[in-house]
Amino acid sequence: MVKICCIGAGYVGGPTMAVIALKCPEIEVAVVDISLQRIAQWNSESLPIFEPGLDEVVKACRGRNLFFSSDVEKHVAEADIVFVSVNTPTKTRGLGAGKAADLTYWESAARMIADVSRSDKIVVEKSTVPVKTAEAIEKILTHNNKGINFQILSNPEFLAEGTAIDDLFKPDRVLIGGRETPDGQRAVASLKAVYAHWVPEDRILTTNLWSAELSKLAANAFLAQRISSVNAMSALCEATGADVSEVAFAIGKDSRIGPRFLNSSVGFGGSCFQKDILNLVYICECNGLAEVASYWKQVVHINDYQKNRFVKRVVSSMFNTVSGKKIAVLGFAFKKDTGDTRETPAIDVCNGLLGDKALLSIYDPQVSEEQIRRDLAMNKFDWDHPQHLQPLSPTASSNSVRVVWDAYEATKDAHGICILTEWDEFRKLDFRKIYAAMQKPAFVFDGRNIVNVDELRDIGFIVYSIGKPLDPWVKDLPASS
Ligand code: UDX
Ligand code: ADP
């Protein structure tokens, strides 16, 4: 019987291992983490992450062949295959600060594997890492002088949050990179056999290690680039009277471009896109490829521009000041169907509005008040450095921020509404009722293009929706600097 251990019970490790356990009943899967609290949550009724379908999968196999444990060393020692799915934050100081990946967690996991292992193991890079990380890990593992054979594989995860279980059940592809030696190829075949329990063979791609590592960074860079491209077009649409949804639909009909991932928004968020592009930029710079680095850097630059542009649009539309005005923020998660707020555009938008002295009333169906306050008080990149996180001061921004548990409560007496996450429930709101309870003129700033602009204008709202023809009210304002 094969035993699998996954180090890191996060957004990637937890759901991925749960699906492997479900699909491979004869394999024992242990998910381990240094965070006792995380492990306790995985063993409880209330899982640490919100992900549609995850509860059912975990319930079907927890205690059968899926175990969550904080006894990291025991499970690593017993495993044949060890997945490593720990955080790889952006460095905040030293060489490459603000770009390079900080491999502290990875390195300490590798050293621990080398220390506790008594039998040969396949070590799988699951978390996204810089190209050539496998080489460094190999050095740490093979210098143990114990005669143990470690094979390193790269098996990046392509799941997206909110659809993780579907993505894992029916992946577009599974990518496995390994050494081109007989031992390396045997390790690739062993991991392939795990996925072959449910993934058709032609969807399991095998490559060399560096291609697999780079493909993950490249895939995220291409996806993020699509969003920055359509967001760049949204600014031009607003300036010209074109409608970004119509433009995206028209270009998406070209089968070479394709229709998906072309929704203009207030900006992309999530734990991967910005981090992976900055990492890619750093790798390019280290390899002397300055032009390639600056090309990809622009994708992040446009994303920052889009968030700033949104804040400017809110402030300039509301008579150039939001000081003392109540702004309802609907949605804080970085996308719908997740409670994850890592790099959510809502943080920059809220901080921008708070900088202009707005009073925020925030509602998100899945994000807790503590998380929102913590996010608004946090330094850039600190979310992925648990050791930097301070206990939350009870007074942090408490005067200007209220967190409420209902969209109607959030919008009551508000001067304006900012929609920052595309939760389905926001599409069904009774905007007549909301309008009646707001200050006038009442503004809606839709950062996700989910409201029916004409209907809202008929009700009486002044409406701004990303990349759509501007409301006459907004259009006639002097351009904001
Ligand atoms: C992404 C990749 O999709 C996934 O393959 C990889 O494994 C991890 O990174 P994730 O960050 O979970 O997944 O979500 P994704 O659906 O890609 O959305 C990322 C951000 O882009 C969100 O803020 C989303 O709202 C935004 N987005 C997405 C848009 O603004 N427009 C779109 O058309 C699509
Ligand atoms: P991802 O989104 O990539 O899954 P997360 O931050 O959600 O990332 O999860 C990473 C997990 O890895 C965290 O729960 C963290 O506690 C855990 N972790 C980090 N280093 C180690 C380690 N050396 N041993 C065990 N767990 C670790």
Side-chain angles (χ1 to χ4, degrees):
M1 185 166 123
V2 176
K3 282 193 179 185
I4 288 180
C5 174
C6 175
I7 307 177
Y11 284 88
V12 172
T16 312
M17 293 304 124
V19 168
I20 290 181
L22 184 79
K23 300 289 188 183
C24 312
E26 83 287 6
I27 298 180
E28 191 179 298
V29 182
V31 190
V32 298
D33 203 294
I34 37 176
S35 163
L36 300 179
Q37 189 198 7
R38 254 206 175 166
I39 291 300
Q41 287 172 318
W42 279 107
N43 281 320
S44 75
E45 283 304 296
S46 159
L47 302 183
I49 59 180
F50 170 71
E51 190 63 60
L54 177 64
D55 279 34
E56 290 79 354
V57 176
V58 170
K59 277 189 190 133
C61 30
R62 194 172 56 189
R64 182 190 77 183
N65 65 330
L66 175 66
F67 304 92
F68 294 95
S69 167
S70 49
D71 197 344
V72 180
E73 299 189 356
K74 169 180 174 283
H75 289 286
V76 169
E78 288 175 357
D80 306 292
I81 303 178
V82 180
F83 285 86
V84 184
S85 189
V86 299
N87 8 358
T88 47
T90 305
K91 279 180 85 170
T92 52
R93 59 188 74 172
L95 202 65
K99 281 181 285 197
D102 176 347
L103 291 176
T104 314
Y105 298 95
W106 236 109
E107 189 175 330
S108 92
R111 287 183 190 282
M112 184 270 299
I113 298 171
D115 282 348
V116 306
S117 292
R118 300 285 173 269
S119 56
D120 293 352
K121 296 197 191 313
I122 297 172
V123 176
V124 186
E125 292 175 345
K126 198 58 170 159
S127 37
T128 309
V129 288
V131 187
K132 292 280 181 181
T133 299
E135 200 160 63
I137 302 303
E138 224 165 37
K139 289 199 174 106
I140 294 173
L141 291 173
T142 51
H143 282 68
N144 59 71
N145 292 327
K146 288 194 276 187
I148 295 172
N149 180 8
F150 289 104
Q151 282 302 320
I152 322 292
L153 300 179
S154 166
N155 171 221
E157 184 48 63
F158 295 102
L159 67 80
E161 287 174 35
T163 53
I165 299 299
D166 275 354
D167 295 343
L168 288 163
F169 280 179
K170 286 193 236 85
D172 286 344
R173 80 304 209 183
V174 166
L175 182 57
I176 304 174
R179 284 280 186 200
E180 285 146 316
T181 59
D183 279 352
Q185 290 307 298
R186 260 193 297 280
V188 169
S190 301
L191 187 56
K192 196 172 168 184
V194 172
Y195 286 104
H197 281 73
W198 78 99
V199 181
E201 191 124 343
D202 61 349
R203 293 204 172 195
I204 307 179
L205 316 182
T206 57
T207 65
N208 78 27
L209 266 172
W210 323 129
S211 302
E213 286 181 338
L214 182 57
S215 297
K216 172 66 190 196
L217 294 180
N220 276 344
F222 271 59
L223 289 169
Q225 181 204 43
R226 269 174 91 88
I227 302 169
S228 279
S229 297
V230 77
N231 282 345
M233 285 299 161
S234 76
L236 189 55
C237 286
E238 287 166 30
T240 55
D243 179 329
V244 75
S245 303
E246 292 176 353
V247 172
F249 184 75
I251 63 171
K253 281 286 177 195
D254 184 326
S255 59
R256 293 168 301 175
I257 296 175
R260 296 175 63 194
F261 238 73
L262 283 177
N263 294 322
S264 180
S265 67
V266 61
F268 60 73
S271 66
C272 293
F273 284 175
Q274 174 172 286
K275 184 171 81 175
D276 290 355
I277 292 176
L278 292 174
N279 189 343
L280 188 66
V281 166
Y282 183 67
I283 295 170
C284 292
E285 286 171 353
C286 290
N287 283 286
L289 303 171
E291 285 77 7
V292 185
S294 76
Y295 173 75
W296 287 110
K297 208 186 285 177
Q298 199 61 18
V299 172
V300 173
H301 182 70
I302 288 287
N303 199 46
D304 289 336
Y305 164 77
Q306 187 77 343
K307 292 181 275 188
N308 284 332
R309 210 166 70 75
F310 187 85
V311 172
K312 279 187 187 165
R313 188 68 86 182
V314 175
V315 176
S316 65
S317 308
M318 297 178 79
F319 317 102
N320 260 329
T321 176
V322 288
S323 178
K325 292 179 186 165
K326 177 174 170 178
I327 310 283
V329 172
L330 299 187
F332 199 83
F334 82 98
K335 61 190 269 196
K336 74 170 183 177
D337 291 342
T338 176
D340 193 355
T341 59
R342 294 178 293 176
E343 295 290 354
T344 175
I347 296 176
D348 287 341
V349 170
C350 288
N351 279 332
L353 295 172
L354 288 170
D356 242 288
K357 296 205 176 77
L359 305 175
L360 302 184
S361 184
I362 305 176
Y363 165 64
D364 186 286
Q366 283 296 333
V367 186
S368 69
E369 171 159 7
E370 196 202 339
Q371 187 63 51
I372 290 174
R373 291 193 185 278
R374 191 180 284 286
D375 287 337
L376 292 178
M378 209 182 286
N379 290 323
K380 208 170 157 69
F381 303 125
D382 271 1
W383 54 269
D384 214 8
H385 291 265
Q387 79 276 22
H388 292 185
L389 299 179
Q390 305 293 330
L392 184 67
S393 121
T395 54
S397 63
S398 60
N399 293 335
S400 323
V401 176
R402 278 179 67 228
V403 178
V404 298
W405 290 103
D406 172 44
Y408 296 101
E409 179 60 29
T411 51
K412 201 167 119 199
D413 289 327
H415 294 76
I417 301 173
C418 294
I419 301 174
L420 301 185
T421 314
E422 73 282 19
W423 285 102
D424 289 341
E425 66 175 71
F426 298 156
R427 295 176 194 270
K428 298 177 206 140
L429 289 171
D430 180 348
F431 276 101
R432 277 189 194 283
K433 181 172 152 188
I434 288 175
Y435 181 77
M438 283 178 67
Q439 307 270 349
K440 307 296 177 319
F443 295 82
V444 169
F445 302 94
D446 183 1
R448 296 288 183 170
N449 282 342
I450 59 167
V451 301
N452 183 323
V453 174
D454 292 338
E455 262 175 45
L456 262 61
R457 286 194 184 138
D458 284 348
I459 293 173
F461 284 105
I462 295 158
V463 186
Y464 165 75
S465 196
I466 299 257
K468 302 274 177 174
L470 294 178
D471 196 296
W473 172 285
V474 176
K475 201 160 61 188
D476 295 341
L477 290 171
S480 59
S481 58

